Amino acid sequence: MEKQTITIYDVAREANVSMATVSRVVNGNPNVKPTTRKKVLEVIDRLDYRPNAVARGLASKKTTTVGVIIPDVTNLYFSSLARGIDDIATMYKYNIILANSDQNDQKEVQVLNTLLAKQVDGIIYMGHKISDELRAEFSRSKTPVVLAGTVDPDEQMGSVNIDYEAATEQTIAQLISNGHERIAFVSGSISQEPINGIYRLKGYKTALQNAGIEYDESLVFETAYSFTVGEEVYSKLAEAGATAVFAGDDEIAVGIMNGALDHFVKIPEEFEVVTANNSKLSEMVRPKLSTITQPLYDIGAVAMRLLTKLMNKEDVDEKTIILPHNIANRGTTKEV
Amino acid sequence: MEKQTITIYDVAREANVSMATVSRVVNGNPNVKPTTRKKVLEVIDRLDYRPNAVARGLASKKTTTVGVIIPDVTNLYFSSLARGIDDIATMYKYNIILANSDQNDQKEVQVLNTLLAKQVDGIIYMGHKISDELRAEFSRSKTPVVLAGTVDPDEQMGSVNIDYEAATEQTIAQLISNGHERIAFVSGSISQEPINGIYRLKGYKTALQNAGIEYDESLVFETAYSFTVGEEVYSKLAEAGATAVFAGDDEIAVGIMNGALDHFVKIPEEFEVVTANNSKLSEMVRPKLSTITQPLYDIGAVAMRLLTKLMNKEDVDEKTIILPHNIANRGTTKEV
DNA sequence: CTGAAAGCGCTAACAG
DNA sequence: CTGTTAGCGCTTTCAG
């Protein structure tokens, strides 16, 4: 005999009420006499009834699940955001469908489509850039989208970030005040990723300009998001005569630092490093990385909170949210 | 005017066929005349029809989504497994609902229940221990479960792991051959976590015994899974007179190593460290951590592959899978 | 406060 | 090769 799944109908019959009433007590609808509620609850417990969320989703057109597009869960920056997202999602009774995109345009569009097919109530997107096709798909659908740790120049979707430009400017300014004139800028794609190519680079240039230092393109490097390539990059920085570096990603920063260390360069005495994300990685290496401190968990959490409001069609006064940042001087910069 | 969602019925009407036929072409059923298939496909494209996965799930009793219970996405060991899981899931057209459990028994049971309510086709569980209540819930449901990087002594569920005992024994043996007699063993809970308390500890003891070294309980430490506590632990190791350590987690190992480094201890000359998981963290620190090499990504991938077979009710010859391991001597152990 | 009834959008026999 | 017909299990008017 196959194990029979018990439905709302079974509960109704056993409790001598209609399915409508069972539905009401399951959904906490107050219009139920305490006596009947109790009776129904008791039957539910006895039969060990568990509402089928799929059926519920079909009938109510709400699935209480949100899609999360992430470049790679294995990157501490993004997984930290994801943790914040999941915690708040859980708090609001949502579940998360997590999909790695590898930042691949085609994969992203495909993932988005399956997410939409699964009728997610909302989407959180993380990534370095949003392709035109993806943006088009986003705006074509009615499903609310929030960007976490991701900026899209045309601010159509909700987003949560820090002020990358200001943060970078401060960082570079401090490096300059430490005596550096040749400060390298290393990040992912300058031409494609707004955070790097627009905001951070702008902050970098502004700081240089304020100090009367000429911008030198040969100090700007694009690289992949991995510590392995970071190590290779160090040699290039050295060749270019850089005495300090700002890295747009902690893994990259670690790679560069290790590259320097492997060349017996003393940090921070002979070479200073500042990174951008304050993931726990930055505190696990030695010396500890000086960094822009971003509230990673909070960025994720606030993004998810914003999404709940959007999904709930609540009024949102500001859907482009900027969280505060700071700078932590740890072991890879000289004492000021 | 609200944007009308278009259904299979609309497509059927426009194409002058029945919904059954549309369903067939959508699902790749071969019993459709090429001509009609083409016609339907064209209408689907024109109307931009997207099948509703929720309705499909209700009708077919399959959701093509699997639940993944993970202690913390932010832990590189688990996120590496998760990456393997997601990639294979995607390959087989499944999506993943990811839920952080924080290894909290109550939360795990709750998460499992919502996963089951959402009618996931299967579940992958990662964690250090399975509470009795959770195990009961697992066996009560018909939904297939696979453990990844997790062992449960009564092998009822599918699982993918390495041979923790053998790996640990080899590691300790090597440390002994390097001249150590007081080797510390640091991990999460010994009393509750089978991998640590049963397998690794057994391997540890066997290696000592083979070398005629007496087991000393004061060299065994339990600690939380975080590099921050690891740093505190180092002092205790030093007090206990340990000259080498085996750590059951990379973050813990990093913490201990940093604790030693912060005390100006030379590694590996004065103190050797071997860690257990080979997460990329082990290669990002300096010196690079010597480690048992586990195929993390593969453990996740194989676990997911196994789950697809289970969900598909295929015959599986062996559902307790052991993947090969090795030992990588990097910077925290002396050259042999 | 409660019940009846009509779907939600799709799959899956079954018949032809 | 194609259409008809029941549901899947639940929510949601609409009456009463």
Side-chain angles (χ1 to χ4, degrees):
Chain A
M1 192 187 90
E2 263 294 310
K3 191 193 291 182
Q4 184 62 53
T5 60
I6 69 121
T7 74
I8 197 173
Y9 183 77
D10 300 312
V11 177
R13 184 167 30 71
E14 287 287 311
N16 280 310
V17 295
S18 69
M19 7 183 327
T21 298
V22 178
S23 176
R24 288 195 187 91
V25 348
V26 166
N27 292 296
N29 185 316
N31 296 122
V32 180
K33 189 167 25 156
T35 333
T36 48
R37 173 187 306 282
K38 195 179 163 211
K39 184 174 55 179
V40 171
L41 246 19
E42 185 242 279
V43 173
I44 286 181
D45 192 56
R46 180 156 58 78
L47 263 43
D48 196 29
Y49 165 70
R50 176 190 290 133
N52 180 323
V54 175
R56 194 192 291 221
L58 182 59
S60 69
K61 296 179 170 304
K62 286 196 278 181
T63 55
T64 64
T65 109
V66 313
V68 175
I69 300 176
I70 191 172
D72 182 7
V73 250
T74 257
N75 178 303
L76 276 170
Y77 171 68
F78 291 114
S79 63
S80 303
L81 300 186
R83 196 49 160 88
I85 292 168
D86 188 45
D87 282 0
I88 302 304
T90 301
M91 188 173 300
Y92 284 88
K93 311 288 185 197
Y94 284 92
N95 284 102
I96 245 84
I97 294 186
L98 203 275
N100 292 88
S101 71
D102 280 322
Q103 200 67 253
N104 176 138
D105 292 359
Q106 202 175 316
K107 207 168 169 184
E108 286 183 343
V109 170
Q110 192 172 303
V111 157
L112 175 61
N113 278 316
T114 97
L115 252 23
L116 258 18
K118 295 218 167 167
Q119 314 297 119
V120 294
D121 296 334
I123 290 177
I124 292 199
Y125 175 88
M126 294 179 271
H128 302 290
K129 61 174 188 296
I130 299 180
S131 70
D132 292 338
E133 192 184 348
L134 188 67
R135 188 183 301 104
E137 295 281 355
F138 274 148
S139 53
R140 214 155 59 81
S141 99
K142 291 185 65 73
T143 309
V145 178
V146 171
L147 312 179
T150 302
V151 2
D152 191 46
D154 80 50
E155 306 181 349
Q156 292 307 298
M157 297 167 268
S159 67
V160 181
N161 290 281
I162 63 162
D163 184 338
Y164 302 105
E165 183 178 342
T168 307
E169 184 183 332
Q170 291 169 239
T171 301
I172 302 300
Q174 191 183 98
L175 249 17
I176 292 173
S177 78
N178 272 12
H180 296 281
E181 301 211 330
R182 294 193 66 73
I183 302 167
F185 178 102
V186 183
S187 75
S189 174
I190 301 283
S191 57
Q192 298 197 54
E193 303 172 4
I195 291 183
N196 294 317
I198 301 179
Y199 306 101
R200 285 178 176 151
L201 194 56
K202 205 162 164 192
Y204 173 79
K205 288 180 180 171
T206 304
L208 291 183
Q209 192 169 16
N210 289 346
I213 300 174
E214 193 149 0
Y215 171 67
D216 179 354
E217 205 172 35
S218 71
L219 284 168
V220 175
F221 301 83
E222 295 188 338
T223 183
Y225 288 91
S226 160
F227 71 100
T228 52
V229 301
E231 299 183 22
E232 295 165 17
V233 167
Y234 173 74
S235 312
K236 296 187 194 161
L237 299 192
E239 263 174 48
T243 60
V245 61
F246 166 77
D249 177 88
D250 293 353
E251 260 196 45
I252 293 177
V254 166
I256 294 174
M257 177 162 86
N258 287 339
L261 256 21
D262 292 351
H263 282 78
F264 305 103
V265 173
K266 288 207 180 73
I267 293 177
E269 295 78 2
E270 304 171 3
F271 192 73
E272 293 190 57
V273 181
V274 184
T275 187
N277 292 339
N278 193 34
S279 69
K280 64 182 172 184
L281 177 57
S282 64
E283 296 195 80
M284 289 196 283
V285 295
R286 286 296 182 275
K288 290 185 190 175
L289 281 162
S290 295
T291 182
I292 292 171
T293 53
Q294 297 196 42
L296 299 184
Y297 180 93
D298 295 351
I299 290 175
V302 171
M304 184 64 214
R305 180 66 184 102
L306 173 58
L307 186 60
T308 63
K309 289 179 183 165
L310 261 24
M311 292 186 295
N312 217 25
K313 301 196 187 310
E314 292 175 31
D315 275 335
V316 175
D317 32 300
E318 180 57 66
K319 61 178 192 173
T320 300
I321 299 178
I322 300 297
L323 259 27
H325 66 269
N326 224 311
I327 296 185
N329 284 297
R330 301 207 273 243
T332 57
T333 46
K334 294 177 206 157
E335 301 285 337
V336 187
Chain B
M1 191 189 88
E2 265 294 311
K3 190 192 292 181
Q4 185 62 52
T5 58
I6 69 121
T7 73
I8 197 173
Y9 185 77
D10 300 312
V11 177
R13 185 170 25 75
E14 287 287 311
N16 280 312
V17 296
S18 68
M19 5 183 327
T21 299
V22 178
S23 176
R24 288 196 186 91
V25 348
V26 166
N27 292 295
N29 185 318
N31 296 122
V32 180
K33 198 183 352 173
T35 334
T36 46
R37 173 188 307 282
K38 193 177 163 212
K39 184 174 56 178
V40 171
L41 248 17
E42 184 242 281
V43 174
I44 285 180
D45 192 57
R46 179 156 57 77
L47 263 43
D48 196 29
Y49 166 69
R50 177 188 288 132
N52 180 324
V54 174
R56 195 191 293 224
L58 183 58
S60 69
K61 296 180 170 304
K62 287 196 277 178
T63 55
T64 64
T65 109
V66 312
V68 175
I69 300 177
I70 191 174
D72 182 7
V73 250
T74 256
N75 179 303
L76 276 171
Y77 170 69
F78 291 114
S79 64
S80 302
L81 300 186
R83 194 52 160 85
I85 293 168
D86 188 45
D87 283 0
I88 302 304
T90 301
M91 187 174 299
Y92 284 88
K93 312 289 186 198
Y94 284 92
N95 284 103
I96 244 87
I97 295 187
L98 203 277
N100 293 88
S101 70
D102 280 323
Q103 199 65 253
N104 176 139
D105 293 357
Q106 203 175 314
K107 207 169 169 184
E108 286 184 343
V109 171
Q110 193 173 303
V111 157
L112 174 61
N113 278 315
T114 97
L115 251 24
L116 258 17
K118 295 216 167 168
Q119 314 298 119
V120 294
D121 297 334
I123 291 177
I124 292 198
Y125 175 89
M126 295 179 270
H128 301 289
K129 62 174 186 295
I130 298 179
S131 70
D132 293 336
E133 192 183 348
L134 188 67
R135 187 181 302 106
E137 296 281 355
F138 273 149
S139 52
R140 215 153 61 81
S141 97
K142 291 185 65 74
T143 310
V145 178
V146 172
L147 312 179
T150 301
V151 2
D152 191 45
D154 80 50
E155 306 180 348
Q156 292 306 298
M157 300 168 267
S159 67
V160 182
N161 290 281
I162 63 162
D163 184 339
Y164 302 105
E165 183 179 339
T168 307
E169 184 183 332
Q170 290 169 240
T171 302
I172 302 299
Q174 192 182 97
L175 249 16
I176 292 173
S177 78
N178 270 14
H180 296 281
E181 302 211 329
R182 293 192 66 73
I183 302 167
F185 178 100
V186 183
S187 76
S189 175
I190 301 283
S191 57
Q192 298 196 54
E193 303 173 4
I195 292 183
N196 294 317
I198 301 180
Y199 305 102
R200 286 178 175 152
L201 194 56
K202 206 163 163 189
Y204 173 79
K205 287 179 180 173
T206 304
L208 291 183
Q209 191 170 15
N210 289 345
I213 299 175
E214 192 151 0
Y215 169 67
D216 179 354
E217 205 172 37
S218 70
L219 284 169
V220 175
F221 300 82
E222 296 189 337
T223 183
Y225 288 90
S226 162
F227 70 100
T228 52
V229 303
E231 298 183 22
E232 295 164 17
V233 166
Y234 172 73
S235 311
K236 295 188 196 163
L237 300 191
E239 262 173 49
T243 59
V245 62
F246 166 77
D249 177 89
D250 292 355
E251 262 196 46
I252 293 177
V254 167
I256 294 173
M257 177 163 85
N258 287 340
L261 256 24
D262 292 351
H263 281 77
F264 305 104
V265 172
K266 288 205 181 72
I267 293 177
E269 295 79 2
E270 303 171 3
F271 192 73
E272 293 190 57
V273 181
V274 183
T275 186
N277 293 339
N278 193 34
S279 69
K280 65 182 172 186
L281 176 57
S282 64
E283 295 195 79
M284 290 197 281
V285 295
R286 287 296 182 274
K288 290 185 191 174
L289 281 162
S290 294
T291 183
I292 292 170
T293 53
Q294 297 195 43
L296 299 184
Y297 180 93
D298 294 351
I299 289 175
V302 170
M304 185 63 214
R305 179 65 184 104
L306 173 58
L307 187 61
T308 63
K309 289 179 184 166
L310 260 24
M311 293 186 296
N312 218 24
K313 301 194 188 309
E314 292 176 32
D315 275 333
V316 175
D317 31 302
E318 180 56 69
K319 60 178 193 174
T320 298
I321 300 177
I322 300 297
L323 259 26
H325 67 269
N326 224 311
I327 295 185
N329 284 297
R330 301 207 272 242
T332 57
T333 45
K334 295 177 204 158
E335 302 284 339
V336 187

